[in-house]
Amino acid sequence: GYDENTYREMHPAYSIIGMQYYAQSGKEPYFYPVFADKRHRLFSIGEPVRYQPESDPHDEAMRIVSEVQSGMIRLSEEFND
């Protein structure tokens, strides 16, 4: 799982990719939480987080980061049970 030595907070600026993709394509991108478990040699992908262009850009960036991080932590905990 994640601990203070392996987990780092995600920077909200990474969600700008969603804004740029939407501006160029008109399509709402999805962000996926991912966890790689070295011990079990497994790679897990969680539920997608959809970019919502109607939201305030700052609020949307914070929401995406929060939901993706939560998903990553949930995936990591599945291997610690």
Side-chain angles (χ1 to χ4, degrees):
Y2 287 115
D3 61 33
E4 63 274 357
N5 297 318
T6 60
Y7 179 74
R8 297 184 203 274
E9 292 282 321
M10 293 172 63
H11 195 282
Y14 113 96
S15 65
I16 290 173
I17 295 167
M19 190 181 342
Q20 292 172 336
Y21 181 83
Y22 180 75
Q24 290 181 0
S25 71
K27 297 177 184 177
E28 298 168 357
Y30 291 84
F31 294 84
Y32 290 83
V34 175
F35 178 72
D37 186 288
K38 187 175 183 178
R39 186 179 56 164
H40 294 101
R41 300 176 61 111
L42 293 172
F43 188 76
S44 297
I45 301 172
E47 293 295 316
V49 178
R50 182 182 61 87
Y51 172 73
Q52 299 173 354
E54 66 277 359
S55 299
D56 173 77
H58 178 266
D59 293 344
E60 184 62 0
M62 300 307 289
R63 182 189 72 81
I64 289 170
V65 166
S66 176
E67 288 188 27
V68 169
Q69 285 181 166
S70 294
M72 291 168 63
I73 292 168
R74 272 193 306 277
L75 290 170
S76 78
E77 289 171 347
E78 291 176 11
F79 291 101
N80 288 330
D81 291 342

